[in-house]
Amino acid sequence: MQRYFVKQRASDNRFQIDGDDRHHLLKVMRMTIGDKIICVDPKGDTAICEIAKITDEHVVADVVQWIDEKSELPIFVTIASGLPKGDKLEWIIQKGTELGVREFIPFSARRSVVKWDDKKSAKKIDRWQKIAKEAAEQSHRGMVPEIISPMNFKALIANSKDFDFKLAAYEEESRSGETSIFSATLERMKPGDSLLIVFGPEGGLAEEEVQLLQANDFVLCGLGPRILRTETAPLYALAAVSYHFELLRR
């Protein structure tokens, strides 16, 4: 069944679907009264619903059955990515959403080739948020990750204060053979904890950025013996998080 993230909670066991989702439901999926869909409300509560009414403004769907889904990672993972070239960030957002990210923070790093254009920011962020929403629907998430407006490096540091654990993936740590910090950090975490992981752009983090991260309680870590691309490293880390908290049997 097609999944939709609705904007408001159900009223009298009824959801209203409007905007782009209404268009998708009627024009793309060509659904009609009696068809069943899945609705997820802003709190992540999920229900099988039946289309009961179609108007020019919205589609009304009646709740048939509330279902108990557990598709979210037990920890809150935020990925901070140095702005990369081309569509790499879109790839990170799409696949990162499938792997369970709660939040994405793009940031301008010293070695970022791409320069953020504030004049185009709203349109760009809307596109990224749409990519996250579609990926969340496809992967049966209970929530859509938030895409934070790109910020500079100092703002990233300022926004890192409230996380329980903070890591920075650094290729020099991989080159030197460091293999224990990432796994040891996951071992220390418990359900409900928050984790911020910083990844540099192409070319990695600059030395002064690394020093500033360390001065603000970030721990540098390697991600295995191979040097990963900027769009590969976050997905590697997320797969490891999923394995540790969701698949590993002790």
Side-chain angles (χ1 to χ4, degrees):
M1 282 180 282
Q2 183 67 31
R3 174 175 298 243
Y4 294 97
F5 289 92
V6 295
K7 298 173 183 176
Q8 296 179 336
R9 303 203 75 189
S11 176
D12 295 327
N13 265 2
R14 280 195 154 190
F15 286 107
Q16 286 193 2
I17 301 169
D18 54 21
D20 290 342
D21 285 339
R22 176 190 176 280
H23 178 271
H24 182 271
L25 193 153
L26 299 178
K27 303 301 182 182
V28 179
M29 301 303 296
R30 297 191 179 279
M31 291 186 180
T32 187
I33 291 175
D35 288 338
K36 288 186 171 60
I37 59 174
I38 293 176
C39 291
V40 185
D41 73 13
K43 290 192 174 181
D45 293 330
T46 306
I48 298 173
C49 301
E50 183 177 292
I51 298 173
K53 183 180 178 182
I54 298 172
T55 74
D56 291 338
E57 288 79 32
H58 52 253
V59 171
V60 177
D62 288 340
V63 174
V64 175
Q65 179 185 357
W66 291 97
I67 53 179
D68 183 19
E69 289 188 330
K70 289 180 171 52
S71 60
E72 296 301 311
L73 286 172
I75 64 170
F76 303 149
V77 182
T78 295
I79 296 296
S81 292
L83 286 170
K85 295 184 291 186
D87 60 358
K88 292 177 183 178
L89 187 57
E90 294 183 2
W91 172 267
I92 293 169
I93 290 170
Q94 182 187 62
K95 301 308 175 185
T97 297
E98 293 177 27
L99 288 165
V101 171
R102 288 295 183 103
E103 184 181 59
F104 294 94
I105 304 177
F107 67 94
S108 296
R110 179 176 176 183
R111 292 175 179 165
S112 291
V113 175
V114 174
K115 302 305 178 185
W116 183 246
D117 186 350
D118 287 330
K119 295 179 181 178
K120 300 178 181 178
S121 61
K123 186 175 181 180
K124 199 78 171 178
I125 295 168
D126 284 347
R127 173 169 172 76
W128 292 339
Q129 198 67 64
K130 183 178 180 181
I131 289 170
K133 178 176 178 293
E134 290 174 351
E137 291 170 347
Q138 181 274 322
S139 56
H140 287 205
R141 293 282 303 270
M143 53 85 67
V144 180
E146 183 178 1
I147 317 296
I148 305 299
S149 181
M151 59 186 65
N152 61 35
F153 195 77
K154 288 185 178 180
L156 172 66
I157 295 295
N159 279 272
S160 71
K161 304 301 182 184
D162 294 331
F163 287 86
D164 298 311
F165 295 86
K166 298 185 289 188
L167 296 174
Y170 188 42
E171 63 271 16
E172 294 303 325
E173 296 297 307
S174 293
R175 288 193 180 100
S176 66
E178 193 287 307
T179 58
S180 63
I181 290 175
F182 184 50
S183 59
T185 299
L186 298 184
E187 286 286 351
R188 292 170 55 205
M189 296 186 72
K190 59 184 183 297
D193 282 346
S194 58
L195 171 64
L196 170 61
I197 315 179
V198 173
F199 299 88
E202 299 91 347
L205 296 166
E207 182 61 32
E208 59 266 32
E209 291 172 331
V210 171
Q211 293 174 0
L212 189 56
L213 287 167
Q214 290 179 300
N216 286 274
D217 302 321
F218 281 82
V219 180
L220 305 183
C221 68
L223 296 177
R226 291 164 294 280
I227 305 303
L228 304 177
R229 290 178 180 269
T230 185
E231 70 271 27
T232 308
L235 308 186
Y236 176 99
L238 288 165
V241 169
S242 174
Y243 175 77
H244 181 87
F245 285 101
E246 297 178 317
L247 298 183
L248 186 61
R249 298 291 181 265
R250 292 180 173 83

